[in-house]
Coordinates of all heavy atoms in Angstrom, one line a residue:
S122 N -22.1 -2.0 -0.8 CA -22.3 -0.7 -0.7 C -21.0 0.2 -0.3 O -20.7 1.3 -1.0 CB -23.3 -0.2 0.3 OG -24.5 -0.8 -0.1
F123 N -20.1 -0.4 0.5 CA -18.9 0.3 0.9 C -18.0 0.1 -0.4 O -17.1 1.0 -0.7 CB -18.2 -0.3 2.1 CG -18.8 0.2 3.3 CD1 -19.8 -0.5 4.0 CD2 -18.2 1.4 3.9 CE1 -20.4 0.0 5.1 CE2 -18.8 1.9 5.1 CZ -19.9 1.1 5.7
D124 N -18.1 -0.9 -1.1 CA -17.4 -1.1 -2.4 C -17.7 -0.1 -3.3 O -16.8 0.5 -4.1 CB -17.6 -2.5 -3.0 CG -17.1 -3.6 -2.1 OD1 -16.5 -3.5 -1.3 OD2 -17.7 -4.8 -2.4
K125 N -19.0 0.4 -3.4 CA -19.3 1.4 -4.5 C -18.8 2.7 -4.1 O -18.6 3.6 -4.9 CB -20.9 1.4 -4.5 CG -21.6 0.2 -5.1 CD -23.1 0.3 -5.1 CE -23.6 -1.0 -5.6 NZ -25.0 -1.0 -5.5
R126 N -18.4 2.9 -2.8 CA -17.8 4.2 -2.4 C -16.4 4.1 -2.3 O -15.7 5.0 -1.7 CB -18.3 4.5 -1.1 CG -19.9 4.8 -0.9 CD -20.5 4.8 0.4 NE -19.8 5.6 1.4 CZ -20.1 5.6 2.6 NH1 -20.9 4.8 3.2 NH2 -19.4 6.4 3.5
N127 N -15.8 3.0 -2.9 CA -14.4 2.8 -2.9 C -13.8 2.7 -1.4 O -12.6 3.1 -1.3 CB -13.6 3.9 -3.7 CG -14.0 3.8 -5.1 OD1 -14.1 2.7 -5.7 ND2 -13.9 4.9 -5.8
L128 N -14.6 2.2 -0.5 CA -14.1 1.9 0.8 C -13.8 0.5 1.1 O -14.5 -0.2 1.8 CB -15.1 2.5 1.9 CG -15.4 4.0 1.7 CD1 -16.7 4.3 2.6 CD2 -14.3 4.8 2.0
Y129 N -12.8 -0.1 0.3 CA -12.5 -1.4 0.2 C -12.0 -1.9 1.7 O -12.3 -3.0 2.0 CB -11.6 -1.8 -0.9 CG -12.1 -1.5 -2.2 CD1 -11.5 -0.4 -2.9 CD2 -13.1 -2.1 -2.7 CE1 -12.2 -0.1 -4.3 CE2 -13.7 -1.9 -3.9 CZ -13.2 -0.9 -4.7 OH -13.7 -0.5 -5.9
K130 N -11.2 -1.1 2.3 CA -10.6 -1.5 3.6 C -11.8 -1.7 4.7 O -11.7 -2.6 5.5 CB -9.5 -0.6 4.1 CG -8.2 -0.6 3.4 CD -7.2 0.3 4.0 CE -5.9 0.2 3.2 NZ -4.9 1.2 3.7
Q131 N -12.6 -0.8 4.6 CA -13.9 -0.8 5.5 C -14.7 -2.0 5.2 O -15.1 -2.7 6.2 CB -14.7 0.5 5.4 CG -14.0 1.7 6.1 CD -13.1 2.4 5.1 OE1 -12.6 1.8 4.1 NE2 -12.8 3.6 5.4
A132 N -14.9 -2.3 3.9 CA -15.5 -3.5 3.5 C -15.0 -4.9 4.0 O -15.6 -5.7 4.5 CB -15.8 -3.5 2.0
Q133 N -13.6 -4.9 3.9 CA -12.9 -6.1 4.4 C -13.0 -6.1 5.9 O -13.1 -7.2 6.5 CB -11.4 -5.9 3.9 CG -11.3 -6.3 2.5 CD -11.7 -7.5 2.0 OE1 -11.6 -8.6 2.8 NE2 -12.2 -7.7 0.8
R134 N -13.0 -4.9 6.5 CA -13.1 -4.9 8.1 C -14.4 -5.5 8.5 O -14.5 -6.2 9.5 CB -12.8 -3.6 8.6 CG -12.9 -3.4 10.0 CD -11.8 -4.2 10.7 NE -11.8 -4.1 12.1 CZ -11.3 -4.9 13.0 NH1 -10.5 -5.9 12.6 NH2 -11.4 -4.7 14.4
I135 N -15.5 -5.1 7.8 CA -16.8 -5.6 8.1 C -16.9 -7.1 8.0 O -17.4 -7.8 8.9 CB -17.9 -4.9 7.2 CG1 -18.0 -3.4 7.6 CG2 -19.2 -5.6 7.3 CD1 -18.8 -2.6 6.6
L136 N -16.4 -7.6 7.0 CA -16.3 -9.1 6.8 C -15.5 -9.7 7.9 O -15.9 -10.8 8.5 CB -15.7 -9.5 5.5 CG -16.5 -9.1 4.2 CD1 -15.7 -9.5 3.0 CD2 -17.8 -9.8 4.3
A137 N -14.4 -9.1 8.4 CA -13.5 -9.7 9.4 C -14.3 -9.6 10.8 O -14.2 -10.5 11.6 CB -12.3 -8.9 9.5
L138 N -15.0 -8.5 10.9 CA -15.8 -8.3 12.2 C -16.8 -9.3 12.3 O -17.1 -10.0 13.4 CB -16.4 -7.0 12.3 CG -15.4 -5.8 12.6 CD1 -16.1 -4.5 12.4 CD2 -14.9 -6.0 14.1
D139 N -17.5 -9.6 11.2 CA -18.6 -10.6 11.2 C -17.9 -12.0 11.6 O -18.6 -12.7 12.4 CB -19.2 -10.8 9.7 CG -20.4 -11.7 9.6 OD1 -21.3 -11.6 10.5 OD2 -20.3 -12.5 8.8
H140 N -16.8 -12.4 11.0 CA -16.2 -13.5 11.4 C -15.8 -13.6 12.8 O -16.0 -14.6 13.5 CB -15.0 -13.8 10.4 CG -14.2 -15.1 10.7 ND1 -14.8 -16.3 10.5 CD2 -13.0 -15.3 11.3 CE1 -13.9 -17.2 10.8 NE2 -12.8 -16.6 11.4
M141 N -15.2 -12.6 13.3 CA -14.8 -12.5 14.7 C -16.0 -12.6 15.7 O -15.8 -13.2 16.7 CB -14.0 -11.3 15.0 CG -12.6 -11.3 14.3 SD -11.5 -10.0 14.7 CE -12.2 -8.6 13.8
I142 N -17.1 -11.9 15.3 CA -18.2 -12.1 16.2 C -18.7 -13.6 16.2 O -19.1 -14.1 17.2 CB -19.3 -11.2 15.7 CG1 -18.8 -9.7 16.1 CG2 -20.7 -11.4 16.4 CD1 -19.8 -8.6 15.3
W143 N -18.8 -14.1 15.0 CA -19.2 -15.5 14.9 C -18.2 -16.5 15.8 O -18.7 -17.3 16.5 CB -19.1 -16.0 13.5 CG -19.5 -17.4 13.3 CD1 -20.8 -18.0 13.3 CD2 -18.6 -18.5 13.2 NE1 -20.6 -19.4 13.1 CE2 -19.3 -19.7 13.0 CE3 -17.2 -18.7 13.0 CZ2 -18.7 -20.9 12.8 CZ3 -16.6 -19.8 12.9 CH2 -17.3 -20.9 12.7
S144 N -17.0 -16.1 15.7 CA -16.0 -16.8 16.4 C -16.2 -16.7 17.9 O -16.1 -17.7 18.6 CB -14.6 -16.5 16.0 OG -13.7 -17.1 16.7
M145 N -16.3 -15.4 18.4 CA -16.7 -15.2 19.8 C -17.9 -16.0 20.2 O -18.0 -16.5 21.4 CB -16.8 -13.7 20.1 CG -15.5 -12.9 20.0 SD -14.3 -13.5 21.3 CE -13.1 -14.2 20.2
D146 N -19.0 -16.1 19.5 CA -20.1 -16.8 19.8 C -19.9 -18.2 20.0 O -20.4 -18.9 21.0 CB -21.3 -16.6 18.8 CG -22.0 -15.3 18.8 OD1 -22.0 -14.6 19.8 OD2 -22.6 -14.9 17.8
T147 N -19.0 -18.8 19.2 CA -18.8 -20.1 19.4 C -17.9 -20.4 20.6 O -18.2 -21.3 21.4 CB -17.8 -20.6 18.1 OG1 -18.5 -20.4 16.9 CG2 -17.6 -22.1 18.2
E148 N -16.9 -19.5 20.9 CA -16.1 -19.7 22.1 C -16.9 -19.5 23.4 O -16.7 -20.1 24.4 CB -14.9 -18.7 22.0 CG -13.9 -19.1 21.0 CD -12.6 -18.2 21.1 OE1 -12.3 -17.8 22.2 OE2 -12.0 -18.1 20.1
I149 N -17.8 -18.5 23.3 CA -18.7 -18.3 24.5 C -19.5 -19.6 24.8 O -19.6 -19.9 25.9 CB -19.6 -17.0 24.2 CG1 -18.8 -15.7 24.3 CG2 -20.8 -17.0 25.2 CD1 -19.5 -14.4 23.9
S150 N -20.1 -20.1 23.6 CA -20.9 -21.3 23.8 C -20.0 -22.4 24.4 O -20.5 -23.1 25.4 CB -21.5 -21.6 22.6 OG -22.1 -23.0 22.6
L151 N -18.7 -22.5 24.0 CA -17.8 -23.6 24.4 C -17.5 -23.4 26.0 O -17.6 -24.3 26.7 CB -16.6 -23.6 23.7 CG -15.5 -24.5 24.2 CD1 -15.9 -25.9 24.0 CD2 -14.2 -24.2 23.3
H152 N -17.2 -22.2 26.3 CA -16.9 -21.9 27.7 C -18.0 -22.1 28.7 O -17.9 -22.5 29.8 CB -16.3 -20.5 27.8 CG -14.8 -20.5 27.2 ND1 -14.5 -19.5 26.1 CD2 -13.8 -21.0 27.5 CE1 -13.3 -19.6 25.9 NE2 -12.8 -20.6 26.8
L153 N -19.2 -21.8 28.2 CA -20.4 -22.0 29.0 C -20.6 -23.5 29.3 O -20.8 -23.9 30.3 CB -21.7 -21.5 28.4 CG -21.8 -19.9 28.5 CD1 -23.0 -19.5 27.6 CD2 -22.1 -19.4 29.8
T154 N -20.4 -24.4 28.2 CA -20.5 -25.7 28.5 C -19.5 -26.2 29.4 O -19.6 -27.1 30.3 CB -20.3 -26.4 27.0 OG1 -21.3 -25.9 26.1 CG2 -20.4 -27.9 27.1
L155 N -18.2 -25.7 29.2 CA -17.1 -26.2 30.1 C -17.2 -25.8 31.5 O -17.0 -26.5 32.4 CB -15.8 -25.6 29.5 CG -15.3 -26.3 28.2 CD1 -14.1 -25.5 27.7 CD2 -14.9 -27.7 28.4
I156 N -17.7 -24.6 31.7 CA -18.0 -24.2 33.0 C -19.1 -25.1 33.8 O -18.9 -25.4 34.9 CB -18.5 -22.7 33.1 CG1 -17.4 -21.8 32.7 CG2 -19.1 -22.3 34.4 CD1 -17.9 -20.3 32.4
K157 N -20.1 -25.5 33.1 CA -21.1 -26.4 33.6 C -20.5 -27.7 33.9 O -21.0 -28.5 34.9 CB -22.3 -26.5 32.8 CG -23.0 -25.2 32.6 CD -24.2 -25.3 31.6 CE -24.9 -24.0 31.4 NZ -25.9 -24.0 30.5
S158 N -19.5 -28.2 33.1 CA -19.1 -29.7 33.2 C -17.9 -29.7 34.2 O -17.6 -30.9 34.6 CB -18.8 -30.1 31.8 OG -17.7 -29.5 31.3
V159 N -17.0 -28.7 34.5 CA -15.9 -28.9 35.1 C -16.2 -28.9 36.7 O -17.1 -28.1 37.2 CB -14.9 -27.8 34.8 CG1 -15.3 -26.5 35.3 CG2 -13.6 -28.1 35.2
K160 N -15.5 -29.7 37.5 CA -15.7 -29.7 38.9 C -14.6 -29.1 39.6 O -14.9 -28.4 40.7 CB -15.6 -31.2 39.3 CG -16.5 -32.0 38.7 CD -18.0 -31.8 39.1 CE -18.9 -32.8 38.5 NZ -20.1 -32.2 38.2
D161 N -13.4 -28.8 39.1 CA -12.4 -28.2 39.8 C -12.6 -26.6 39.8 O -12.8 -26.0 38.8 CB -11.1 -28.4 39.1 CG -9.9 -27.7 39.7 OD1 -9.8 -27.6 40.9 OD2 -9.0 -27.2 38.9
D162 N -12.5 -26.0 40.9 CA -12.9 -24.5 41.1 C -11.8 -23.7 40.4 O -12.2 -22.6 39.8 CB -12.9 -24.2 42.6 CG -14.2 -24.6 43.2 OD1 -15.2 -25.0 42.6 OD2 -14.1 -24.6 44.6
T163 N -10.5 -24.1 40.4 CA -9.5 -23.3 39.7 C -9.7 -23.2 38.2 O -9.7 -22.2 37.6 CB -8.1 -23.8 40.0 OG1 -7.9 -23.9 41.5 CG2 -7.0 -23.0 39.4
T164 N -10.0 -24.4 37.7 CA -10.4 -24.6 36.2 C -11.5 -23.8 35.9 O -11.7 -23.1 34.9 CB -10.5 -26.0 35.8 OG1 -9.3 -26.6 36.3 CG2 -10.6 -26.2 34.3
K165 N -12.6 -23.8 36.8 CA -13.8 -23.2 36.5 C -13.6 -21.6 36.5 O -14.2 -20.9 35.6 CB -14.8 -23.5 37.6 CG -16.3 -22.9 37.3 CD -17.3 -23.4 38.3 CE -17.7 -24.7 38.0 NZ -19.0 -25.2 38.7
L166 N -12.8 -21.0 37.4 CA -12.4 -19.7 37.3 C -11.7 -19.2 36.0 O -11.9 -18.1 35.6 CB -11.5 -19.3 38.6 CG -12.3 -19.3 40.0 CD1 -11.4 -19.1 41.1 CD2 -13.3 -18.1 39.9
I167 N -10.8 -20.1 35.6 CA -10.1 -19.9 34.4 C -11.1 -19.8 33.2 O -11.1 -18.8 32.4 CB -9.1 -20.9 34.0 CG1 -7.9 -20.8 35.0 CG2 -8.5 -20.8 32.6 CD1 -7.0 -22.0 35.0
Y168 N -12.1 -20.6 33.1 CA -13.1 -20.7 32.0 C -14.1 -19.4 32.1 O -14.4 -18.9 31.2 CB -13.9 -22.0 32.0 CG -13.2 -23.1 31.5 CD1 -13.4 -24.4 32.1 CD2 -12.2 -23.1 30.6 CE1 -12.7 -25.5 31.7 CE2 -11.6 -24.2 30.1 CZ -11.8 -25.3 30.6 OH -11.1 -26.5 30.3
I169 N -14.4 -19.1 33.4 CA -15.3 -17.9 33.6 C -14.4 -16.7 33.2 O -15.0 -15.7 32.6 CB -15.6 -17.8 35.1 CG1 -16.7 -18.9 35.5 CG2 -16.2 -16.4 35.5 CD1 -16.9 -19.0 37.0
S170 N -13.2 -16.6 33.5 CA -12.3 -15.5 33.0 C -12.3 -15.4 31.5 O -12.4 -14.3 31.0 CB -10.9 -15.6 33.6 OG -10.1 -14.6 33.1
K171 N -12.2 -16.5 30.8 CA -12.1 -16.5 29.4 C -13.5 -16.1 28.9 O -13.6 -15.5 27.8 CB -11.7 -17.9 28.9 CG -10.1 -18.2 29.2 CD -9.8 -19.5 28.6 CE -8.3 -19.8 28.9 NZ -7.6 -20.4 27.8
L172 N -14.6 -16.6 29.5 CA -15.9 -16.3 29.0 C -16.1 -14.8 29.2 O -16.7 -14.1 28.2 CB -16.9 -17.0 30.0 CG -18.4 -16.6 29.7 CD1 -18.8 -17.2 28.2 CD2 -19.3 -17.2 30.8
T173 N -15.6 -14.2 30.2 CA -15.8 -12.7 30.4 C -15.0 -12.0 29.3 O -15.5 -11.0 28.7 CB -15.4 -12.3 31.8 OG1 -16.1 -13.0 32.8 CG2 -15.5 -10.8 32.1
E174 N -13.8 -12.4 29.1 CA -12.9 -11.7 28.1 C -13.5 -11.9 26.7 O -13.7 -10.9 25.9 CB -11.6 -12.4 28.2 CG -10.7 -11.8 27.0 CD -9.3 -12.6 27.0 OE1 -9.0 -13.4 28.0 OE2 -8.5 -12.3 26.0
N175 N -14.1 -13.0 26.3 CA -14.7 -13.2 25.0 C -16.1 -12.4 24.9 O -16.4 -11.9 23.8 CB -15.1 -14.7 24.7 CG -13.8 -15.6 24.6 OD1 -12.8 -15.0 24.1 ND2 -13.9 -16.7 24.7
R176 N -16.8 -12.2 25.9 CA -18.0 -11.4 26.0 C -17.5 -9.9 25.8 O -18.2 -9.2 25.0 CB -18.8 -11.6 27.2 CG -19.5 -12.8 27.3 CD -20.4 -13.1 28.6 NE -21.3 -14.1 28.5 CZ -21.8 -14.7 29.5 NH1 -21.7 -14.1 30.7 NH2 -22.7 -15.7 29.3
Y177 N -16.6 -9.5 26.3 CA -16.0 -8.2 26.2 C -15.6 -8.0 24.7 O -15.9 -6.9 24.0 CB -14.8 -7.9 27.2 CG -14.2 -6.5 26.9 CD1 -14.9 -5.4 27.3 CD2 -13.0 -6.4 26.2 CE1 -14.3 -4.1 27.1 CE2 -12.5 -5.2 26.0 CZ -13.1 -4.0 26.4 OH -12.5 -2.8 26.3
K178 N -14.8 -8.8 24.1 CA -14.3 -8.8 22.8 C -15.5 -8.7 21.8 O -15.6 -7.9 20.9 CB -13.5 -10.0 22.3 CG -12.2 -9.9 23.0 CD -11.4 -11.1 22.6 CE -9.9 -11.2 23.1 NZ -9.3 -12.3 22.7
K179 N -16.5 -9.6 22.1 CA -17.6 -9.6 21.3 C -18.5 -8.2 21.2 O -18.9 -7.7 20.3 CB -18.7 -10.7 21.6 CG -19.8 -10.7 20.8 CD -20.9 -11.8 21.2 CE -22.1 -11.7 20.3 NZ -23.1 -12.6 20.8
R180 N -18.6 -7.6 22.4 CA -19.1 -6.3 22.6 C -18.4 -5.3 21.9 O -18.9 -4.4 21.1 CB -19.3 -5.9 24.1 CG -20.1 -4.7 24.3 CD -20.4 -4.5 25.8 NE -20.6 -5.6 26.6 CZ -19.9 -6.0 27.7 NH1 -18.7 -5.4 27.9 NH2 -20.1 -7.2 28.3
Q181 N -17.0 -5.3 21.9 CA -16.2 -4.4 21.2 C -16.4 -4.5 19.7 O -16.6 -3.5 19.0 CB -14.8 -4.6 21.5 CG -14.4 -4.2 23.0 CD -14.7 -2.7 23.2 OE1 -15.7 -2.5 24.0 NE2 -14.0 -1.8 22.8
Y182 N -16.4 -5.8 19.2 CA -16.7 -6.0 17.7 C -18.0 -5.5 17.3 O -18.1 -5.0 16.3 CB -16.5 -7.5 17.5 CG -15.1 -8.1 17.8 CD1 -15.0 -9.4 18.0 CD2 -14.0 -7.3 17.7 CE1 -13.6 -9.9 18.3 CE2 -12.6 -7.8 17.9 CZ -12.5 -9.1 18.4 OH -11.4 -9.7 18.5
T183 N -19.0 -5.9 18.1 CA -20.4 -5.5 17.7 C -20.5 -4.0 17.8 O -21.2 -3.4 16.8 CB -21.3 -6.1 18.8 OG1 -21.2 -7.5 18.9 CG2 -22.8 -5.6 18.4
N184 N -19.8 -3.2 18.7 CA -19.8 -1.8 18.6 C -19.1 -1.2 17.4 O -19.7 -0.3 16.8 CB -19.2 -1.1 19.9 CG -20.0 -1.5 21.1 OD1 -21.2 -1.6 21.1 ND2 -19.4 -1.4 22.3
E185 N -18.0 -1.7 17.0 CA -17.4 -1.3 15.8 C -18.2 -1.6 14.6 O -18.3 -0.7 13.6 CB -16.0 -2.0 15.7 CG -15.3 -1.5 14.5 CD -13.9 -2.1 14.4 OE1 -13.4 -2.9 15.3 OE2 -13.2 -1.9 13.4
L186 N -18.9 -2.7 14.6 CA -19.7 -3.0 13.4 C -21.0 -2.1 13.4 O -21.5 -1.5 12.2 CB -20.3 -4.5 13.5 CG -21.1 -5.0 12.4 CD1 -20.2 -5.0 11.0 CD2 -21.5 -6.4 12.5
S187 N -21.4 -1.7 14.6 CA -22.6 -0.8 14.6 C -22.2 0.7 14.1 O -22.9 1.3 13.5 CB -23.1 -0.6 16.1 OG -23.6 -1.8 16.6
S188 N -21.0 1.0 14.3 CA -20.4 2.4 13.8 C -20.4 2.2 12.3 O -20.8 3.2 11.7 CB -19.1 2.6 14.4 OG -18.1 1.9 13.8
F189 N -20.1 1.1 11.7 CA -20.1 0.9 10.3 C -21.6 1.1 9.7 O -21.8 1.7 8.7 CB -19.6 -0.3 9.8 CG -18.0 -0.3 9.8 CD1 -17.4 -1.2 10.6 CD2 -17.3 0.5 8.9 CE1 -16.0 -1.2 10.6 CE2 -16.0 0.6 8.8 CZ -15.2 -0.3 9.7
I190 N -22.5 0.5 10.5 CA -23.9 0.5 10.0 C -24.4 1.9 10.1 O -25.2 2.4 9.2 CB -24.7 -0.5 11.0 CG1 -24.3 -1.9 10.7 CG2 -26.2 -0.2 10.8 CD1 -24.9 -2.9 11.6
S191 N -24.1 2.7 11.2 CA -24.4 4.1 11.3 C -24.0 4.9 10.1 O -24.7 5.7 9.5 CB -24.1 4.6 12.6 OG -24.7 3.9 13.7
D192 N -22.7 4.6 9.8 CA -22.2 5.3 8.7 C -22.9 5.1 7.4 O -23.1 6.0 6.6 CB -20.6 5.1 8.6 CG -19.9 5.6 7.5 OD1 -20.1 7.0 7.3 OD2 -19.2 5.1 6.7
F193 N -23.1 3.8 7.3 CA -23.9 3.5 6.0 C -25.3 4.1 6.0 O -25.8 4.5 4.9 CB -24.0 2.0 5.8 CG -24.7 1.6 4.7 CD1 -24.0 1.8 3.3 CD2 -26.0 1.0 4.6 CE1 -24.6 1.3 2.3 CE2 -26.7 0.6 3.5 CZ -26.1 0.8 2.3
E194 N -26.0 4.1 7.1 CA -27.3 4.7 7.1 C -27.2 6.2 6.8 O -28.1 6.8 6.0 CB -27.9 4.6 8.5 CG -28.4 3.2 8.8 CD -28.9 3.0 10.1 OE1 -28.7 3.6 11.1 OE2 -29.6 1.9 10.4
R195 N -26.2 6.9 7.3 CA -26.1 8.3 7.0 C -25.8 8.6 5.5 O -26.3 9.5 4.9 CB -24.8 8.9 7.8 CG -25.2 9.3 9.3 CD -24.1 10.0 10.0 NE -22.9 9.4 10.0 CZ -22.5 8.6 10.8 NH1 -23.3 8.1 11.8 NH2 -21.2 7.9 10.9
Y196 N -25.0 7.6 4.9 CA -24.7 7.8 3.5 C -25.9 7.6 2.6 O -26.3 8.3 1.7 CB -23.7 6.7 3.2 CG -23.5 6.6 1.7 CD1 -22.7 7.5 1.0 CD2 -23.9 5.5 1.0 CE1 -22.5 7.4 -0.3 CE2 -23.6 5.4 -0.3 CZ -22.9 6.3 -1.1 OH -22.7 6.2 -2.5
Q197 N -26.8 6.6 3.0 CA -28.0 6.2 2.3 C -29.0 7.3 2.5 O -29.6 7.7 1.5 CB -28.6 5.0 2.8 CG -28.1 3.7 2.2 CD -28.9 2.5 2.6 OE1 -29.6 2.4 3.8 NE2 -29.0 1.6 1.7
N198 N -29.1 8.0 3.6 CA -30.0 9.1 3.9 C -29.5 10.4 3.0 O -30.4 11.0 2.4 CB -30.0 9.4 5.3 CG -30.9 8.5 6.1 OD1 -31.7 7.9 5.6 ND2 -30.6 8.4 7.5
A199 N -28.2 10.6 2.9 CA -27.7 11.7 2.1 C -28.0 11.5 0.8 O -28.4 12.4 -0.1 CB -26.2 11.8 2.3
L200 N -27.9 10.2 0.2 CA -28.3 9.9 -1.2 C -29.7 10.1 -1.5 O -30.1 10.7 -2.5 CB -27.8 8.4 -1.6 CG -26.4 8.0 -1.8 CD1 -26.3 6.6 -2.1 CD2 -25.9 8.9 -3.1
F201 N -30.5 9.7 -0.5 CA -32.0 9.9 -0.6 C -32.3 11.3 -0.8 O -33.2 11.7 -1.6 CB -32.6 9.1 0.5 CG -34.2 9.2 0.4 CD1 -34.9 8.5 -0.4 CD2 -34.8 10.0 1.2 CE1 -36.3 8.5 -0.6 CE2 -36.2 10.1 1.3 CZ -36.9 9.4 0.4
N202 N -31.6 12.1 0.1 CA -32.1 13.5 0.2 C -31.5 14.2 -1.1 O -32.2 15.2 -1.5 CB -31.5 14.1 1.4 CG -32.1 13.7 2.6 OD1 -33.4 13.4 2.6 ND2 -31.4 13.7 3.8
E203 N -30.5 13.8 -1.7 CA -30.0 14.3 -3.0 C -31.0 14.1 -4.1 O -31.0 14.9 -5.0 CB -28.6 13.8 -3.3 CG -27.5 14.3 -2.5 CD -26.1 13.7 -3.0 OE1 -26.1 13.0 -4.0 OE2 -25.2 13.9 -2.3
T204 N -31.5 12.9 -4.1 CA -32.4 12.5 -5.2 C -33.8 13.2 -5.2 O -34.6 13.1 -6.1 CB -32.7 11.1 -5.3 OG1 -33.3 10.6 -4.1 CG2 -31.3 10.3 -5.6
R205 N -34.1 13.9 -4.1 CA -35.4 14.5 -4.0 C -35.4 15.7 -4.7 O -34.8 16.6 -5.2 CB -35.7 14.9 -2.4 CG -36.2 13.7 -1.7 CD -36.5 14.0 -0.3 NE -37.1 13.0 0.4 CZ -37.6 13.2 1.5 NH1 -37.6 14.3 2.3 NH2 -38.1 12.0 2.2

């Protein structure tokens, strides 16, 4: 749909965000596993820090993706209202 509106950069960004969110999910899962398995407190704190950072990044990516979704919904509603 963004392609039809000649918004190619936004369409590419959506694909990139999707990939980055998937990547963050993978890293979050990995860090949770590592936190449970490690015994050293210092190493555990490092993994907790990385986990927190990845959760923050995922939230940022999700918010950006949500803004694209909202924009698309507004566009669809405008099209629908024009056809009436």
Side-chain angles (χ1 to χ4, degrees):
S122 296
F123 281 93
D124 295 343
K125 292 178 184 175
R126 295 168 50 195
N127 294 324
L128 300 174
Y129 298 109
K130 287 184 182 180
Q131 288 86 340
Q133 290 297 328
R134 181 65 180 161
I135 290 170
L136 292 174
L138 286 169
D139 182 53
H140 177 72
M141 289 186 286
I142 290 170
W143 175 81
S144 177
M145 285 298 111
D146 282 338
T147 304
E148 288 188 28
I149 287 169
S150 176
L151 174 65
H152 287 120
L153 285 171
T154 303
L155 291 171
I156 289 168
K157 291 176 185 175
S158 66
V159 73
K160 302 293 184 211
D161 180 40
D162 287 340
T163 305
T164 307
K165 188 175 274 194
L166 284 174
I167 291 170
Y168 289 142
I169 290 171
S170 175
K171 289 182 181 220
L172 174 66
T173 304
E174 180 183 346
N175 287 338
R176 284 181 172 165
Y177 175 77
K178 285 181 183 179
K179 181 182 174 187
R180 191 175 317 116
Q181 292 299 107
Y182 298 150
T183 304
N184 288 341
E185 187 177 348
L186 189 59
S187 293
S188 71
F189 282 114
I190 292 168
S191 296
D192 180 47
F193 181 71
E194 286 175 345
R195 282 192 298 277
Y196 173 73
Q197 276 190 326
N198 288 334
L200 280 179
F201 180 74
N202 291 332
E203 281 180 11
T204 59
R205 281 186 174 183

